């Protein structure tokens, strides 16, 4: 039964943020391409270069890897020239 | 049932980074050789010497040990002459 589902990806919820984390949106997508298209649409931008995991900047550029992401994974989209940076609002877990 | 699966390794997600941790990518691999091949391809490089655990530099050079790694383990690939170094407690935060 599990295998059936892996061949028919259903739309899953993701949370998508921008490079400075000022905006975050919930979006449904059944695949990497689908999500990239939706992000581009919602930005009316064609400059999306890549999606990375918000938590550690891992580049998500293969459909297979994308399919392993759990629901509600936070992804960051990067436009040309933008880079992932660690979340600066809580760098100080160590300081507590 | 468990034993069946151990004979038919399925691709698992890994996160692969380079020696200076400037790039990290999600990749699927069903084994050590598979991952080494994919890394070499994606770098168009034949100089990959070894994969090590990002967290502590443990060399991963046997297929059996590789199979014990959990999903989304972060691996670092080293090219000729490169060495693992500990994560310098957030290099990029200092640059901001």
């Amino acid at each position: 039964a599990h295998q059936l589902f892996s061949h028919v990806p259903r739309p899953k919820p993701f949370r998508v943020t921008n490079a400075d984390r000022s905006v975050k949106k919930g979006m449904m997508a059944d695949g990497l391409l689908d999500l990239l298209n939706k992000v581009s649409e919602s930005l009316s931008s064609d400059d999306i270069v890549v999606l990375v995991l918000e938590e550690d900047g891992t580049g998500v550029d293969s459909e297979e890897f994308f399919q392993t992401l759990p629901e509600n994974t936070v992804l960051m989209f990067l436009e040309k020239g933008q880079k992932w940076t660690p979340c600066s609002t809580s760098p100080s877990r160590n300081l507590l």
Side-chain angles (χ1 to χ4, degrees), chain A:
Chain A
H2 266 251
Q3 287 201 324
L4 261 175
F5 283 104
S6 72
H7 289 284
V8 186
R10 298 173 176 218
K12 280 197 298 192
F14 293 92
R15 306 186 182 183
V16 182
T17 189
N18 57 352
D20 65 6
R21 296 181 173 81
S22 59
V23 181
K24 200 187 289 177
K25 256 192 204 185
M27 295 187 175
M28 301 296 290
D30 61 18
L32 178 58
L33 217 64
D34 187 29
L35 189 55
L36 279 170
N37 284 336
K38 282 175 179 167
V39 172
S40 297
E41 262 172 43
S42 101
L43 294 168
S44 8
S45 162
D46 292 325
D47 283 342
I48 306 296
V49 177
V50 74
L51 287 171
V52 302
L53 298 182
E54 189 272 340
E55 57 175 17
D56 69 353
T58 297
V60 181
D61 56 9
S62 90
E63 191 68 61
E64 284 163 296
F65 184 77
F66 181 87
Q67 292 296 339
T68 71
L69 299 176
E71 296 196 353
N72 290 305
T73 295
V74 185
L75 291 155
M76 176 183 287
F77 65 83
L78 300 175
E79 298 179 87
K80 229 171 187 158
Q82 292 181 329
K83 284 191 71 172
W84 175 86
T85 50
C87 188
S88 48
T89 50
S90 54
S92 31
R93 222 175 295 147
N94 312 333
L95 300 178
L96 296 180

